[in-house]
């Protein structure tokens, strides 16, 4: 057997075990009995030990050194596998295991602190997590920047300077647009009681229309919507608020974007390093274009307006234009995940600057709440009322996801580029969407982005799909300007 | 760290990974999307490779050789772990992996053959499975009897000669009882339409009454009822036939017996070799005593009669005595799993003799169908009408479970001993059961049997619980004679 063939077999078994870990995560958040929590933690730790040993196995290092790629796919597999191996072997085993232990406990501490609005209770945990992740970033960076090193876990090939430059260009445009919108009359919101069963029926209908393959997936309820798994088993979750059907419907579309990306990757890539979305940013580009550019378009909401009338009876909103405005309502709010398309990236910018400073050591965890509140008021024009609506609102930092937040904004930027290219290539897409048929758009995305999995690095994936040199924020900003000028008569 | 402490850590991690494998099995049979089948097979194979490597790790052998037990629990752990290690290291890796591969495929072949009543199509698979398991038995036996060696996987400490002696004593008594019953008038069966929702509501109610802890378990629908997992996560499944509520209710009670055994094991034993039921026979004693001696008693069915009237409205049976007779109806039938308490063990005896002959090589797989049909007619007095009702009815042989069948009868025998002892110690148990309250009985079983897990070998477990030298068939036969003489006025 060649070194390359041996390597492929090793990676394949690791990937299969990795899928199992993902499936346990799904189980834990959907069907697991509550009392199984501690035992499950121990089971997961045992599996993570096995995975860590395989991923840092010196035998794997030897195979990676000796293997020669037979083709383009092989070259991409080696690129991904070598990067992962270098990253994993730079982190001392003790540090990796300490990080796993502390972040598991820290998440529970965060949940309790958020429920109690108690920043001080969470501070010791945050200090530990920041210190450990900084140490990890430094170990990976080998003298270069620790935050940049951490970003590679989520968006390989991108660094903080690039993101900062993009954000500097975007911020004034978004602030200006937001201010003009908030100066205009606010459209009415959708109101009423929308029974869970009917919401779930419609969410399933939407998932099917957007190409989710139920033969290789399923939809369950969970506290937080997520997509889990790759290849032939990609499950999503949703949630229901009976006074706000858009929560369920659009979080479902969001997860369907993530899930179809995984489902549509070329079967040959399954259980290889190319068999899952290439980066968090590209992943988010799929979830956001499904949810926003397609799902919140005037054309598709025109169809959805009829579908919701059929499902729920009369609505308090009586025209498709007003319905479109209700779906895209811009409002003052504290919470990133409930934010509209215009303000969403402003939330990301706040987190990006603060987490960079935390990892750099220029902001102490003890000063984070004040920094957050000051910055929030400056960016959003009103004060944070309580920590659960401020510094404690997101789970990310409690589990050590420093370097993750910018990928949300990159996803929006990539989605803007993709949508511009898609409209050029499918000029009559609105006619399909207004019939409730996103298939031409989702087929285009499957062909241009999804089926390629990890074949090309993230920026090249988007550039290739859009036939442009590299993605930038221009198309997203132009799309937002036009869309909200139309809705708000700016 | 002492060798014993190191050993405990090694075993604990293996047990945790083993729990994961069990959880994946549950997932596959309840919630897994159909299209995920092939990918799941690969994931399971990867995990089985990890488990096999750990279970045959020479480092484990060294620890087992060096470890000294600090106490009674430690001695039991060493006993179980040394037996498993000796067994696993005697089987060549190639044979183990070939067995895993062939039995996975053979199960599907059996399903298809059973659906088509096509014994010939399954024959090549049966020949392979028998040959592989015989080879495995011989490897484990090291010159002793291969079938006895295989039995150790399910009922350690028991051999075929012991079972044969018990069966020889039981057979004439059971045949005589069966013939007297079938000569008496047949009581009416329960008839009607029993909606799924109501059946499941009542099944959940029964599970709770029999002590199933929903905080550490859940009940789902599946094609075949089963219990899965140990410790803090023990899930069961049931199934519903809308014309036969006893199917759902009593298969639920059966699985609750298995599941509460796992749930009630001392928490200190969790993720150790003592942290699951000590043998299949003792496991079956719990499921059968819940289902039969308790669940099908005149006292409990008296309560159930009322509960079913409340749930389903008027029944076609109008007295508690007639209801008890309907629950315990003895009828001619082909299928083991649908058999009554009297004839069930006759089914087991048939399989025991045939599978011993298959493994000994005195019966060729090609001659199995004829041997089955001849024996069935001799034992049951009528001819098998088709293979799905005969030699193809059970999954066991297709997946290589030779040596498993006798544990079903041993379970009944153990249940008979336990029930005799339980009635001596809780003389008013019928008063509780007739109020729908099995708690005194299940608490007794939890204390005498379940909490001890694998502490004592199976025969000692039952002997200890019953304060008798060793379990035998006497109490079971006396119980059956008395119960059915009463119902059938013999």
């Amino acid at each position: 057997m060649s070194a390359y063939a041996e390597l492929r077999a090793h990676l394949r078994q690791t990937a299969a075990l990795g899928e199992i870990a993902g499936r346990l995560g799904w189980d834990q958040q959907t069907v697991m009995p509550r009392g199984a929590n501690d035992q499950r933690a121990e089971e997961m730790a045992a599996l993570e030990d096995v995975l860590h040993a395989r991923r840092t196995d010196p035998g794997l290092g030897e195979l990676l050194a000796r293997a020669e790629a037979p083709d383009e796919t092989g070259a991409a597999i080696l690129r991904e596998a070598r990067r992962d191996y270098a990253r994993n072997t730079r982190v001392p085993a003790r540090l990796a295991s300490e990080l796993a232990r502390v972040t598991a406990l820290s998440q529970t501490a965060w949940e309790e602190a958020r429920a109690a609005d108690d920043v001080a209770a969470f501070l010791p945990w945050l200090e530990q997590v920041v210190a450990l992740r900084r140490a990890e970033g430094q170990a990976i960076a080998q003298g270069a920047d620790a935050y940049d090193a951490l970003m590679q876990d989520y968006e390989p090939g991108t660094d903080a300077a690039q993101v900062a430059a993009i954000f500097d260009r975007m911020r004034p445009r978004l602030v200006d647009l937001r201010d003009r919108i908030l100066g205009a009359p606010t459209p009415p919101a959708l109101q009423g009681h929308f029974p869970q069963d009917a919401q779930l029926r419609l969410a399933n209908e939407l998932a099917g229309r957007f190409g989710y393959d139920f033969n290789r997936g399923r939809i369950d309820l969970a506290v937080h919507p997520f997509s889990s798994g790759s290849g032939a088993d990609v499950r999503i979750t949703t949630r229901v608020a009976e006074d706000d059907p858009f929560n369920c419907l659009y979080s479902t579309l969001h997860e369907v974007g993530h899930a179809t990306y995984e489902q549509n990757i070329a079967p040959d890539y399954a259980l290889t390093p190319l068999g899952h979305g290439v980066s968090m940013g590209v992943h988010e580009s799929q979830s956001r274009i499904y949810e926003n550019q397609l799902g919140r378009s005037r054309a598709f909401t025109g169809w959805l307006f009829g579908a919701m009338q059929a499902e729920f009876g009369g609505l308090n909103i009586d025209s498709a234009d007003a319905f479109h405005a209700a779906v895209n309502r811009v409002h003052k709010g504290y919470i990133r995940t409930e934010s509209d398309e215009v303000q969403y990236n402003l939330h990301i910018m706040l987190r990006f600057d603060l987490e960079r400073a935390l990892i750099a050591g220029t902001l102490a965890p003890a000063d984070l709440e004040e920094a957050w509140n000051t910055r929030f008021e400056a960016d959003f024009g009103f004060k944070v009322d309580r920590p659960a609506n401020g510094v404690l609102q997101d789970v990310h930092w409690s589990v050590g996801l420093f370097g993750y937040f910018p990928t949300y904004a990159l996803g929006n930027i990539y989605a803007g580029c993709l949508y511009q290219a898609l409209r050029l290539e499918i000029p009559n897409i609105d006619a399909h969407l207004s019939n409730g048929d996103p298939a031409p758009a989702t087929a285009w995305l499957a062909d241009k982005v999804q089926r390629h999995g990890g074949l090309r690095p993230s920026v090249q994936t988007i550039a290739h799909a859009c036939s442009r040199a590299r993605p930038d924020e221009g198309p997203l900003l132009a799309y937002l300007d036009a869309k909200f000028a139309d809705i708000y008569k700016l």
Side-chain angles (χ1 to χ4, degrees), chain A:
Chain A
M1 219 196 255
S2 72
Y4 178 74
E6 258 189 84
L7 172 70
R8 288 289 299 264
H10 190 285
L11 295 174
R12 195 167 180 91
Q13 200 157 17
T14 308
L17 295 168
E19 285 299 307
I20 293 174
R23 191 64 53 231
L24 291 176
W26 173 87
D27 185 273
Q28 190 161 358
Q29 293 181 70
T30 54
V31 295
M32 190 184 82
R34 284 305 91 199
N37 218 33
D38 291 353
Q39 182 172 312
R40 173 58 56 86
E42 194 163 346
E43 294 166 13
M44 281 295 293
L47 185 56
E48 288 298 337
D49 275 3
V50 170
L51 282 166
H52 186 262
R54 293 186 64 87
R55 287 170 177 154
T56 56
D57 177 1
L60 171 62
E62 253 176 68
L63 290 175
L64 284 166
R66 282 166 44 218
E68 288 172 33
D71 53 21
E72 189 197 0
T73 303
I77 287 172
L78 285 182
R79 180 197 74 224
E80 296 285 309
R82 285 177 177 146
R83 189 193 64 228
D84 290 346
Y85 184 74
R87 182 249 186 259
N88 292 329
T89 50
R90 285 175 188 177
V91 181
R94 270 191 95 84
L95 177 56
S97 124
E98 184 67 359
L99 251 166
R101 193 187 66 78
V102 170
T103 53
L105 298 168
S106 172
Q107 177 166 3
T108 309
W110 165 76
E111 284 165 9
E112 290 166 5
R114 187 178 64 154
D117 270 319
D118 188 347
V119 175
F122 183 60
L123 181 59
W125 291 102
L126 182 66
E127 285 172 335
Q128 280 190 76
V129 175
V130 168
L132 287 166
R133 278 288 273 170
R134 182 192 299 130
E136 190 183 40
Q138 287 167 342
I140 302 169
Q142 297 193 314
D145 185 72
Y147 184 81
D148 282 345
L150 296 179
M151 277 190 69
Q152 308 310 304
D153 283 356
Y154 315 111
E155 199 67 16
T158 303
D159 64 32
Q162 291 168 25
V163 170
I166 295 173
F167 285 180
D168 284 346
R169 296 194 299 269
M170 286 175 80
R171 192 191 327 268
R173 297 272 304 269
L174 289 174
V175 167
D176 173 62
L177 176 60
R178 188 259 321 266
D179 291 348
R180 286 187 290 136
I181 290 170
L182 292 180
T186 306
L190 183 69
Q191 288 176 334
H193 178 78
F194 305 87
Q196 171 162 314
D197 282 3
Q199 289 196 36
L200 291 176
R201 211 159 37 231
L202 191 51
N204 273 267
E205 164 81 20
L206 291 182
R209 285 177 179 265
F210 275 78
Y212 183 63
D213 180 357
F214 284 90
N215 186 46
R216 295 183 294 143
R218 52 181 288 133
I219 304 183
D220 293 88
L221 287 171
V223 177
H224 301 289
F226 64 91
S227 167
S228 151
S230 294
D233 196 348
V234 187
R235 307 181 189 182
I236 64 176
T237 65
T238 189
R239 62 179 166 197
V240 172
E242 291 203 323
D243 62 349
D244 176 12
F246 295 147
N247 191 323
C248 170
L249 299 180
Y250 284 101
S251 76
T252 300
L253 279 190
H254 183 96
E255 300 310 330
V256 164
H258 285 304
T260 53
Y261 186 8
E262 295 292 336
Q263 288 186 327
N264 289 333
I265 292 173
D268 281 357
Y269 296 170
L271 302 179
T272 80
L274 313 186
H276 44 76
V278 70
S279 74
M280 293 300 122
V282 176
H283 239 299
E284 193 73 5
S285 77
Q286 302 305 293
S287 60
R288 295 294 274 182
I289 198 171
Y290 277 52
E291 176 191 1
N292 290 332
Q293 279 87 351
L294 301 174
R296 288 192 169 95
S297 65
R298 175 61 185 80
F300 189 75
T301 58
W303 176 84
L304 184 62
F305 179 53
M308 286 190 63
Q309 286 177 312
E311 191 64 72
F312 300 109
L315 306 176
N316 71 313
I317 284 172
D318 57 6
S319 80
D321 281 333
F323 182 81
H324 183 232
V327 166
N328 288 286
R329 216 156 162 266
V330 175
H331 58 279
K332 291 189 173 187
Y334 301 108
I335 304 294
R336 173 185 61 86
T337 57
E338 299 170 1
S339 183
D340 50 80
E341 286 180 80
V342 177
Q343 297 181 97
Y344 187 92
N345 293 312
L346 297 173
H347 287 278
I348 299 303
M349 292 172 193
L350 179 156
R351 284 152 182 73
F352 171 67
D353 288 338
L354 295 180
E355 72 178 21
R356 265 182 97 183
L358 282 171
I359 295 297
T362 54
L363 173 64
D367 300 326
L368 178 63
E369 183 186 16
E370 197 191 324
W372 178 293
N373 290 345
T374 305
R375 171 72 183 263
F376 187 88
E377 190 175 0
D379 284 6
F380 292 87
F382 58 101
K383 281 186 196 294
V384 171
D385 63 344
R386 58 195 188 94
N389 283 334
V391 68
L392 292 179
Q393 74 178 258
D394 283 316
V395 68
H396 301 62
W397 292 340
S398 74
V399 291
L401 295 178
F402 296 96
Y404 191 112
F405 276 120
T407 70
Y408 289 123
L410 291 173
N412 289 328
I413 291 164
Y414 298 161
C417 297
L418 291 169
Y419 189 58
Q420 184 187 54
L422 183 161
R423 290 193 70 90
L424 283 171
E425 297 194 24
I426 315 174
N428 66 338
I429 187 62
D430 283 346
H432 295 283
L433 290 171
S434 62
N435 286 324
D437 177 21
T442 55
W444 187 90
L445 289 164
D447 179 55
K448 296 289 184 176
V449 178
Q450 297 175 350
R451 71 185 171 92
H452 302 296
L455 184 64
R456 300 181 188 89
S458 60
V459 164
Q460 286 91 317
T461 294
I462 302 300
H464 172 86
C466 305
S467 310
R468 60 190 294 153
R470 60 181 293 126
D472 68 40
E473 72 285 1
L476 175 67
L477 293 172
Y479 152 81
L480 291 173
D481 277 340
K483 173 173 181 171
F484 287 90
D486 180 47
I487 295 172
Y488 281 86
K489 319 274 183 269
L490 302 178

